[in-house]
Amino acid sequence: MTYQEMKVSIAGSSFTQFGKRILISQIQFSTLEAIFEVDESVQRKLDHKRRAEIREFIMDSVSEGDFYFSPFIFSSRGAIKEVPGGGELPPGSKIYILDGQHRTFALVSAISHLRARKETEEEIGHFAEAKKLQSQIDKLKSYPVTIQIYLNLETKEERQLFNDINTKRKEPHIGLVMKYDQRDEYAELTRIIADKLESKMVIENTLSRITVNSTALTSLTIMRRCLIALFEGKITTMTGKAKLGEFTKDEILAIAQAFFEAWLDIFPKRMTDRKTFSSGYSGIQIALAQTIQQLHLHHEIPYEEAIDHMRQLKAGCTWKHGDELFSHMYDPVKKRVKNHSTTNAIQKTALQFKRKIEGGWLHDTK
C-alpha cells in the first residue's frame, strides 16, 4: 500500500461473492490504523476486558515469534474505486470494520503499552531493554494484516453480516490459545503442572477469567502468571523467553507443583467459595507466588524452604474478605475485596503475606 497525495492505493484481488464485490489484500497495521473507522450503529461496544486479553496474547507472542489472526473484514461503503491490481481509497475516506474490532484495538493498545514501557526503561537508563521494546513496536506497526473489504454493502447488509459473523463463528478465546500454544515456554510448563494437579484441584483450562460462582480454584492463565511471579518476580504482562536461571526443567516443575499443592494446605476447605473467601481470586494467588520469590531472594533460602514457610499462613490468615491482610483492598460497603489483580494491589498483598510469614518465622526461631 502506498500514499499518493493522501489517496490510498490498495494492492489486491477483487472478485464477486454472492453478488457482492470484495477486495482481498494484505496491509501493514500502521496503514490500517490510519484508515479504519468504527460505526457504532453497526458494531457492538468495545469489550475492554476482551481487548486486554488479546493484547496480553499479542505482547506475550511478539518478542519470541509470530502470531496469527484470521482475516479482518471491512466495508468501504462505495468509497473504494476498483483499479487494475487492487483499489483506491480517496482522501479523507475510511473503511468500516465489521469483524476484527477487538483485535484491531488490542494491537493499538499493545503498541501503546510497549511505548510506555520503552519510555520507562529509557528514563532509568536501561537503553538495551528500550531498544528491544522499540523493535517489538516496529514489528507490530508493520504486522501484515489480511483484510477482506466489501465494496458496496448497504448499512442494513453490514448489520446482517456483522450478526452472521458473530453468531456463526467465534475467535479462539485467549484461554483456549493458552491451552494449545506451543511457542510459550511458561504455557507449556503450566500445562504439564496442570496435568499433574488434575486429580487434586479443579483448574479452568479454557476460560482465562473465572466467575465468582465457578467451582474451579484457578485457571491455566492465572497459573502461568503465578509461574512468572514465582521465578521472575514479575506481575505485569511479560514478554520474552522464560528466565529460569540455573534450574532444570524438572526442578522448575517440582518447585511449581509444590507451590500449587501448598494452596491445598493453607486455603480454607471451601477455597472456591469466592463470596466468602478470597483464596480463589487471581490477585491473591499471584501475590502468593511473588511472596515466595521474595522470600527466596531476600533470605537466600531454597524455594522449597520458602514454600514451607508459606504454610504459616494457614493459621495466620482467615482468607475471608475482611481479613486484616487484605485491608488495603477491602470495600466495607460491598464487604469484599476489590481491584485485587491490579499491579499495586498484588504488590501490597505480597508485602502483607511476606511480613506475616517473617513475623511467625522469626518468632519460631527465638
Side-chain angles (χ1 to χ4, degrees):
M1 180 176 284
T2 60
Y3 292 94
Q4 299 172 358
E5 298 178 348
M6 301 302 293
K7 176 176 67 179
V8 181
S9 298
I10 306 173
S13 300
S14 300
F15 61 94
T16 301
Q17 183 181 61
F18 301 113
K20 302 298 179 182
R21 293 297 290 169
I22 296 174
L23 174 65
I24 297 291
S25 181
Q26 188 176 78
I27 63 176
Q28 289 190 353
F29 178 70
S30 59
T31 301
L32 177 62
E33 185 180 8
I35 64 172
F36 92 93
E37 191 73 68
V38 174
D39 183 344
E40 293 184 356
S41 69
V42 176
Q43 270 284 349
R44 60 190 168 191
K45 285 183 105 178
L46 183 69
D47 183 334
H48 298 288
K49 290 183 178 178
R50 175 68 174 147
R51 178 187 63 185
E53 289 175 342
I54 300 174
R55 181 188 68 224
E56 181 179 341
F57 165 70
I58 292 170
M59 292 179 69
D60 282 347
S61 303
V62 68
S63 65
E64 286 299 305
D66 294 317
F67 57 95
Y68 304 95
F69 284 141
S70 57
F72 294 40
I73 302 177
F74 295 86
S75 173
S76 77
R77 298 181 174 178
I80 290 180
K81 177 185 176 182
E82 290 187 69
V83 296
E88 292 181 347
L89 185 67
S93 297
K94 299 285 186 178
I95 58 176
Y96 294 84
I97 195 161
L98 299 181
D99 183 53
Q101 177 183 209
H102 290 91
R103 287 171 287 163
T104 301
F105 282 109
L107 280 161
V108 173
S109 182
I111 292 171
S112 176
H113 275 64
L114 288 170
R115 281 174 173 159
R117 287 180 53 195
K118 173 178 173 281
E119 288 181 7
T120 299
E121 297 295 344
E122 288 173 338
E123 289 168 1
I124 60 178
H126 293 170
F127 298 110
E129 183 63 25
K131 186 176 180 180
K132 290 180 183 178
L133 292 170
Q134 182 61 54
S135 175
Q136 293 172 26
I137 293 167
D138 294 340
K139 187 174 182 178
L140 291 183
K141 289 173 67 177
S142 61
Y143 178 74
V145 181
T146 299
I147 57 174
Q148 178 177 318
I149 308 173
Y150 284 85
L151 300 181
N152 298 103
L153 289 183
E154 296 179 0
T155 304
K156 180 180 178 181
E157 293 173 312
E158 290 179 355
R159 292 195 188 101
Q160 183 62 56
L161 179 58
F162 172 81
N163 182 67
D164 290 346
I165 290 169
N166 287 278
T167 56
K168 302 300 183 183
R169 188 268 299 156
K170 297 291 183 183
E171 285 295 316
H173 193 280
I174 189 67
L176 196 60
V177 173
M178 167 73 197
K179 185 177 179 180
Y180 296 110
D181 191 357
Q182 301 298 316
R183 299 165 295 177
D184 187 313
E185 193 170 0
Y186 275 119
E188 179 189 1
L189 291 168
T190 301
R191 290 191 292 268
I192 295 172
I193 296 163
D195 286 343
K196 293 177 180 292
L197 298 173
E198 186 178 13
S199 63
K200 299 181 179 181
M201 65 176 69
V202 179
I203 299 171
E204 172 56 59
N205 60 12
T206 301
L207 301 177
S208 62
R209 296 182 182 275
I210 299 178
T211 66
V212 69
N213 295 316
S214 174
T215 57
L217 176 58
T218 190
S219 71
L220 291 179
T221 302
I222 297 169
M223 289 176 68
R224 177 186 179 277
R225 290 192 63 189
C226 284
L227 290 182
I228 296 169
L230 186 63
F231 293 107
E232 299 194 34
K234 297 180 180 179
I235 55 178
T236 55
T237 302
M238 193 212 78
T239 60
K241 187 176 177 60
K243 299 174 183 176
L244 303 176
E246 73 280 7
F247 296 106
T248 66
K249 183 176 180 179
D250 287 343
E251 289 171 334
I252 290 293
L253 292 172
I255 292 168
Q257 184 174 347
F259 168 71
F260 290 115
E261 287 180 342
W263 290 2
L264 303 176
D265 293 335
I266 66 175
F267 287 164
K269 289 183 178 180
R270 290 162 42 220
M271 61 187 75
T272 60
D273 178 2
R274 293 173 176 83
K275 293 180 180 179
T276 305
F277 301 104
S278 62
S279 48
Y281 284 102
S282 60
I284 303 298
Q285 296 173 359
I286 297 166
L288 281 172
Q290 189 179 52
T291 301
I292 296 304
Q293 198 259 358
Q294 290 176 350
L295 290 173
H296 164 69
L297 288 180
H298 296 173
H299 296 281
E300 298 182 346
I301 59 175
Y303 271 102
E304 294 82 358
E305 184 177 342
I307 292 170
D308 190 53
H309 285 304
M310 183 177 69
R311 288 183 167 83
Q312 294 184 56
L313 293 176
K314 181 178 181 66
C317 181
T318 66
W319 302 104
K320 291 184 177 181
H321 289 261
D323 191 283
E324 63 177 7
L325 294 182
F326 311 132
S327 59
H328 56 285
M329 54 185 178
Y330 181 69
D331 185 335
V333 177
K334 295 183 178 180
K335 296 184 178 180
R336 62 177 176 83
V337 297
K338 65 177 184 179
N339 301 324
H340 57 87
S341 60
T342 65
T343 298
N344 188 48
I346 292 173
Q347 289 174 335
K348 287 184 176 180
T349 305
L351 181 60
Q352 291 284 71
F353 285 151
K354 183 171 178 284
R355 286 173 175 170
K356 192 71 173 181
I357 291 170
E358 288 172 336
W361 179 4
L362 295 174
H363 180 272
D364 291 343
T365 57
K366 287 183 179 178

